[in-house]
DNA sequence: AGTGAAAGGTTTTGGGG
DNA sequence: CCCCAAAACCTTTCACT
């Protein structure tokens, strides 16, 4: 598997921004012809760099406006079948094992607080779960697709005067 | 703006799963013709239900394998210019204001621990920041596109025996 | 609102540098 | 590995139900 070059990174940035644009458009942005862009995209899909294409939906429009992060303290470690069963709730978007204490961090998006409560209820039904601690999101300032800005490294940030 | 019906939700689920499939394919899945699917998709874009189309990238392949969540305690509240400047770091994927204590929650994806440290350094340079608390992700069990499974509500979960 | 057929554009393939 | 050009496919429009 070949490492990514500058063309690849520019193409990825363009795709993260808007995956519905044509190869010709992207080719113009990065300085390649449409078939050249196509070939690189095909290669990056084969190599597992590009996992797939999806749409971004508005949480409000989809009627799941309540976003929360749930820290879960567990007895033991690892993905038990019971914890992985949570995957089947569409409300659960992410599950990570994190360092800092014996715990999992989950990102969940629910219709309302009742739905969140049900989900927490399900959590406490699994015997490994010792306790949970929930952070309800009041407002989201930034939420962008994974790994946006593949191209840039560390931009100069000029802090405005206080 | 019309509320979503069952066809709409099925179309959204299909698009979240794979936005590169053709209208004809989706039409077959949901029981409509290609132009009918197209018209609904066009309407949902206009109404802001569908925000855009992106690709999902592998964090490893993109050379930012270190995912972390950072809790930030701040003095005061709201989006100051200085905090919003963090948006310009591509490493910062999400910034939320959360209830539970006076704090922000950020999701950041960096190349390595040095890059994470630099970012934390930047945080402490902004005068409103009182303290931070970082959770480094050891492994990700689930991370799916926003609002996956628009169609389903609460599936029956059968817990396997312990 | 949905369908079928046709026009316009994009993806995809192949020959050549 | 890239470009140009042609074939195949998809999106988009339109008349009709």
């Amino acid at each position: 598997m070949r490492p990514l070059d500058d063309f690849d990174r520019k193409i990825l940035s363009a795709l993260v921004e808007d995956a519905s644009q044509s190869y010709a458009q992207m080719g113009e942005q990065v300085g390649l012809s449409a078939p050249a862009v196509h070939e690189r995209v095909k290669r990056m899909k084969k190599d597992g760099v590009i996992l797939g294409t999806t749409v971004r939906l508005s949480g409000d429009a989809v009627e799941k406006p309540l976003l929360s992060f749930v820290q879960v303290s567990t007895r033991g470690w690892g993905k038990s079948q019971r914890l992985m069963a949570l995957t089947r709730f569409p409300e659960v978007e992410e599950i990570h094992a994190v360092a800092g204490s014996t715990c999992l961090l989950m990102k969940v998006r629910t219709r309302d607080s009742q739905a969140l409560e049900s989900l927490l209820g399900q959590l406490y039904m699994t015997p490994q779960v010792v306790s949970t601690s929930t952070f309800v999101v009041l407002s989201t300032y930034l939420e962008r697709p994974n790994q946006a800005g593949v191209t840039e490294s560390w931009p100069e940030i000029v802090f405005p005067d206080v």
Side-chain angles (χ1 to χ4, degrees), chain A:
Chain A
M1 189 192 122
R2 230 190 29 175
L4 303 178
D5 67 10
D6 244 37
F7 282 127
D8 292 326
R9 275 187 281 271
K10 279 183 187 166
I11 291 170
L12 290 178
S13 284
L15 283 174
V16 168
E17 188 84 25
D18 176 11
S20 71
Q21 60 191 312
S22 71
Y23 289 131
Q25 277 178 283
M26 296 196 331
E28 216 165 311
Q29 282 179 50
V30 307
L32 286 174
S33 69
V37 175
H38 173 243
E39 189 166 332
R40 280 163 180 273
V41 169
K42 209 169 59 180
R43 177 172 52 73
M44 290 191 284
K45 278 185 178 155
K46 184 177 61 59
D47 290 351
V49 177
I50 297 174
L51 302 174
T53 308
T54 71
V55 289
R56 288 179 297 121
L57 301 181
S58 140
D60 288 355
V62 122
E63 293 170 328
K64 300 210 176 146
L66 187 63
L67 180 63
S68 319
F69 290 86
V70 183
Q71 280 182 0
V72 185
S73 291
T74 58
R75 208 188 325 279
W77 191 261
K79 36 169 141 186
S80 78
Q81 277 189 302
R82 252 182 156 135
L83 281 171
M84 284 310 105
L86 293 167
T87 290
R88 293 175 50 190
F89 291 99
E91 282 79 3
V92 179
E93 288 186 2
E94 302 182 17
I95 305 179
H96 307 278
V98 298
S101 48
T102 309
C103 78
L104 258 42
L105 183 60
M106 298 177 27
K107 181 180 178 184
V108 304
R109 199 180 298 267
T110 52
R111 161 187 285 275
D112 50 31
S113 53
Q114 277 81 39
L116 177 57
E117 189 178 0
S118 303
L119 192 54
L120 293 174
Q122 291 288 340
L123 267 175
Y124 277 106
M125 278 176 54
T126 95
Q128 295 152 326
V129 171
V130 174
S131 68
T132 67
S133 162
T134 301
F135 298 87
V136 172
V137 171
L138 301 172
S139 78
T140 291
Y141 296 145
L142 174 71
E143 184 171 27
R144 58 182 156 204
N146 283 355
Q147 299 90 29
V150 188
T151 245
E152 305 100 80
S153 48
W154 284 94
E156 292 291 330
I157 292 200
V158 179
F159 285 104
D161 292 328
V162 183

